[in-house]
Amino acid sequence: MSLEEQSSEDTKKEMLAFEKYLKDKGLKITNQRLLVAEKIFSSHNHFTAEGLLDELKDNKDRISKATIYRILSIMVEAGLLEEHDFGKDYKYYEHIIGHEHHDHIICVQCGRIVEFIDEQIETLQRNAAAKNGFTITGHSLNIYASCQKFEVCEFNKNK
Amino acid sequence: MSLEEQSSEDTKKEMLAFEKYLKDKGLKITNQRLLVAEKIFSSHNHFTAEGLLDELKDNKDRISKATIYRILSIMVEAGLLEEHDFGKDYKYYEHIIGHEHHDHIICVQCGRIVEFIDEQIETLQRNAAAKNGFTITGHSLNIYASCQKFEVCEFNKNK
DNA sequence: GTTTGTGCAAATCATTTGCACCGCG
DNA sequence: CGCGGTGCAAATGATTTGCACAAAC
């Protein structure tokens, strides 16, 4: 099985999970919801509501901004999407597979977003919280850094 | 020297630093700027623009919201204040002394904000960035947690 | 006196919401 | 059918900005 086929397999599985979630919640399966979900599941990039809207406008299919926001919020609720704040005044979303947690490095030059995970950091965080009498419910670690790759600057593309 | 006197000593030093910054930048020393700076330097809590406005309204002195925002932005620029995003739709500010870096634990129950610093985490972050070819320019680590002190819930006071 | 600061109200901008109509189940 | 979904435009809420007047230097 090629990588492409594997990827489309994953997409199918996720589409089914989404449809199941909708059914279980008594929500309807509409064209807009399917289109948005397919677009999201077929990519692993971090994206914004605006960016998604643009991509879907290219298609013949016309989806309103309000609907995009409404669908994003359902998918976050469903645990299929994660919402991030990278210090801009709009939110980023990220397609979650499984639920593997990770942190982000955001390039202050080109806006590139790199994911990483460090189990030691995770453990130290839990300890720090415990030491202060807290039980962690979540966390967000963003490292702002410079990747020194000016030539591939995508800073404003990613909106 | 008592703690109070010490604290007021610090405040004076910071006021001088602020005034020096204003002069160096060719900015004017106005009543509003002095009032806002004094209020901020005399406390070590995390606060919001709205909260600050409320506190200053209690006084006879009337400062407009626009001016508050303008002064906050100068003080951030001057390195006297740090801006934080704790996942709300408004920003938090924090009075910096020296520049000691620290991270935050935010209670999802009562909104209490606790500061902590873990040198091991700092080091691991630098390593993680380096491993990915980045040079850190800054970072933000927020741990969302539950402090189980419902009785002291200040969640909505802090706005 | 000039230049910069302030207050007010209007503008922004991402996101949300009310409402009339539409389409899934 | 009937209720949830959608599109549109208007509302929201934090922050910003234009402008006329006021204060600092």
Side-chain angles (χ1 to χ4, degrees), chain A residues 28-29 65-66 69-70 89-91 159:
Chain A
K28 288 174 179 166
I29 295 178
K65 194 176 287 199
Y69 279 108
R70 285 187 276 232
D89 57 355
Y90 39 83
K91 300 231 177 68
K159 201 192 163 185

Side-chain angles (χ1 to χ4, degrees), chain A residues 30-44:
Chain A
T30 66
N31 245 308
Q32 289 90 332
R33 286 174 181 171
L34 294 178
L35 276 166
V36 168
E38 251 162 32
K39 189 55 133 184
I40 290 174
F41 290 149
S42 69
S43 153
H44 287 217

Side-chain angles (χ1 to χ4, degrees), chain A residues 103-115:
Chain A
D103 296 314
H104 296 91
I105 303 174
I106 300 104
C107 180
V108 294
Q109 301 289 351
C110 74
R112 200 156 58 98
I113 295 167
V114 171
E115 302 173 356

Side-chain angles (χ1 to χ4, degrees), chain A residues 35 55-63:
Chain A
L35 276 166
E55 287 195 71
L56 290 171
K57 260 187 178 148
D58 290 346
N59 290 18
K60 59 203 167 305
D61 314 291
R62 178 157 292 274
I63 297 190

Side-chain angles (χ1 to χ4, degrees), chain B residues 39-50:
Chain B
K39 187 56 130 184
I40 289 174
F41 290 150
S42 69
S43 152
H44 286 217
N45 292 327
H46 297 75
F47 62 92
T48 63
E50 275 294 316

Side-chain angles (χ1 to χ4, degrees), chain A residues 4 6-22 33-45 47 52 55-56 71-72 74-76 78-82 94-98:
Chain A
E4 292 240 324
Q6 176 58 52
S7 161
S8 117
E9 278 295 299
D10 285 347
T11 302
K12 265 178 219 153
K13 259 185 241 165
E14 293 177 297
M15 287 302 290
L16 288 176
F18 183 43
E19 290 177 35
K20 178 171 186 327
Y21 178 85
L22 292 175
R33 286 174 181 171
L34 294 178
L35 276 166
V36 168
E38 251 162 32
K39 189 55 133 184
I40 290 174
F41 290 149
S42 69
S43 153
H44 287 217
N45 292 327
F47 62 92
L52 187 56
E55 287 195 71
L56 290 171
I71 296 176
L72 288 176
I74 291 174
M75 295 182 73
V76 168
L80 297 165
L81 224 51
E82 208 168 82
E94 167 181 32
H95 162 199
I96 300 296
I97 317 201

Side-chain angles (χ1 to χ4, degrees), chain A residues 1 3 17 19 26 33 38-40 44 46 48 55 58 63 65 76 86 89-90 99-100 102 116 121 126 132 134 136:
Chain A
M1 187 185 279
L3 270 176
E19 290 177 35
R33 286 174 181 171
E38 251 162 32
K39 189 55 133 184
I40 290 174
H44 287 217
H46 297 75
T48 63
E55 287 195 71
D58 290 346
I63 297 190
K65 194 176 287 199
V76 168
F86 291 148
D89 57 355
Y90 39 83
H99 281 275
E100 316 91 346
H102 57 255
F116 77 98
I121 294 182
R126 274 189 294 273
N132 286 280
F134 287 87
I136 290 196

